Amino acid sequence: MAFDPASLKYDAAGLIPAITQDTGGAVLMMAWMNADAVARTLDSGRVTYWSRSRQAFWVKGESSGHVQRLIEMRVDCDRDCLLLLVEQEGPACHTNRRSCFYTAIRDGEEVEIMAPLAG
Amino acid sequence: MAFDPASLKYDAAGLIPAITQDTGGAVLMMAWMNADAVARTLDSGRVTYWSRSRQAFWVKGESSGHVQRLIEMRVDCDRDCLLLLVEQEGPACHTNRRSCFYTAIRDGEEVEIMAPLAG
């Protein structure tokens, strides 16, 4: 069946959450897409989110160089969430860490489990 | 620093998205939690979401037996998304598949890449 971005379920703001996982299996981040961002990502092979704060397309890495090359897009059973398998250039997180999920809860305490990348 | 579920950023409905990944690295599903569900999950070690459709706590696997044992909860840099590392009993998806992300977009077509588990 041909895929149509309009067939996904978007929230009241027209957005769908997109989870990004690198080819090594690490979950890097979660951000949002609208239907146009889904289409642009598939067309260009460069992951393109919708920035809720800037209300604009956000071509990941456009300014930082930390681009995400799309390997495969997957849709969940409810069609209301996306999983993006990517090749990540450098850190995914704006804190210069590989992943945004660098804080673990261990024995009730917040523990930083990942250091910023060098350089 | 002691972790306080109230320190997370919830949406207008009081919810935060939670991505669930199994110990083998597969992303299984994405669902939602409120602050009480976060606390219950940490206290019990059994992943407990908030069901938006039923407006009730959803102890994953309570009826199906397909429980998720929490290995570790992680918080992202913006504190508005959770990553749950779990041991998943059986399928995570209500379609009896291991993961909810069983549909890939390949060359513009939807392709099913995962079969339901036997039994």
Side-chain angles (χ1 to χ4, degrees):
Chain A
M1 184 172 66
F3 172 70
D4 179 358
S7 70
L8 299 175
K9 288 185 200 150
Y10 300 91
D11 68 11
L15 301 177
I16 187 170
I19 302 160
T20 309
Q21 183 178 34
D22 75 14
T23 48
V27 174
L28 301 177
M29 57 184 285
M30 195 281 274
W32 298 81
M33 291 186 169
N34 58 17
D36 279 348
V38 171
R40 287 178 182 222
T41 297
L42 288 169
D43 288 347
S44 68
R46 290 274 291 267
V47 176
T48 303
Y49 303 101
W50 179 258
S51 168
R52 296 179 300 171
S53 55
R54 292 189 291 109
Q55 289 287 303
F57 291 108
W58 168 25
V59 182
K60 175 70 179 166
E62 198 171 36
S63 54
S64 66
H66 302 145
V67 300
Q68 294 177 337
R69 279 177 286 274
L70 183 70
I71 304 300
E72 186 162 277
M73 182 181 289
R74 295 182 188 165
V75 180
D76 81 342
C77 53
D78 292 331
R79 302 183 75 80
D80 63 1
C81 187
L82 298 173
L83 178 63
L84 312 174
L85 304 181
V86 305
E87 282 181 356
Q88 169 72 50
E89 190 72 38
C93 184
H94 74 288
T95 66
N96 217 38
R97 291 174 177 84
R98 179 74 180 167
S99 163
C100 295
F101 296 95
Y102 57 82
T103 304
I105 315 300
R106 294 181 179 169
D107 298 325
E109 298 286 320
E110 297 196 16
V111 180
E112 188 181 313
I113 58 171
M114 205 177 299
L117 297 179
Chain B
M1 187 172 64
F3 173 69
D4 179 358
S7 70
L8 299 175
K9 288 186 200 150
Y10 300 91
D11 69 11
L15 301 177
I16 187 170
I19 302 161
T20 310
Q21 183 177 35
D22 75 14
T23 48
V27 174
L28 301 176
M29 58 184 285
M30 195 281 276
W32 298 80
M33 291 187 169
N34 57 17
D36 279 348
V38 172
R40 286 178 183 222
T41 296
L42 287 169
D43 287 348
S44 68
R46 290 275 290 270
V47 177
T48 303
Y49 303 102
W50 179 258
S51 168
R52 296 179 300 171
S53 55
R54 292 188 291 107
Q55 289 287 304
F57 291 108
W58 168 25
V59 182
K60 175 70 179 166
E62 197 170 38
S63 54
S64 66
H66 302 145
V67 300
Q68 295 176 337
R69 280 177 285 275
L70 183 70
I71 305 299
E72 186 163 277
M73 182 182 290
R74 296 182 187 166
V75 179
D76 82 341
C77 52
D78 292 332
R79 304 184 74 82
D80 63 1
C81 187
L82 297 173
L83 177 63
L84 312 174
L85 304 182
V86 305
E87 282 180 357
Q88 169 71 50
E89 190 72 38
C93 185
H94 73 287
T95 67
N96 217 37
R97 292 174 176 86
R98 180 74 181 164
S99 164
C100 295
F101 296 96
Y102 57 81
T103 304
I105 314 301
R106 294 180 179 170
D107 298 326
E109 297 286 319
E110 296 194 18
V111 180
E112 188 180 314
I113 57 172
M114 206 178 299
L117 297 178

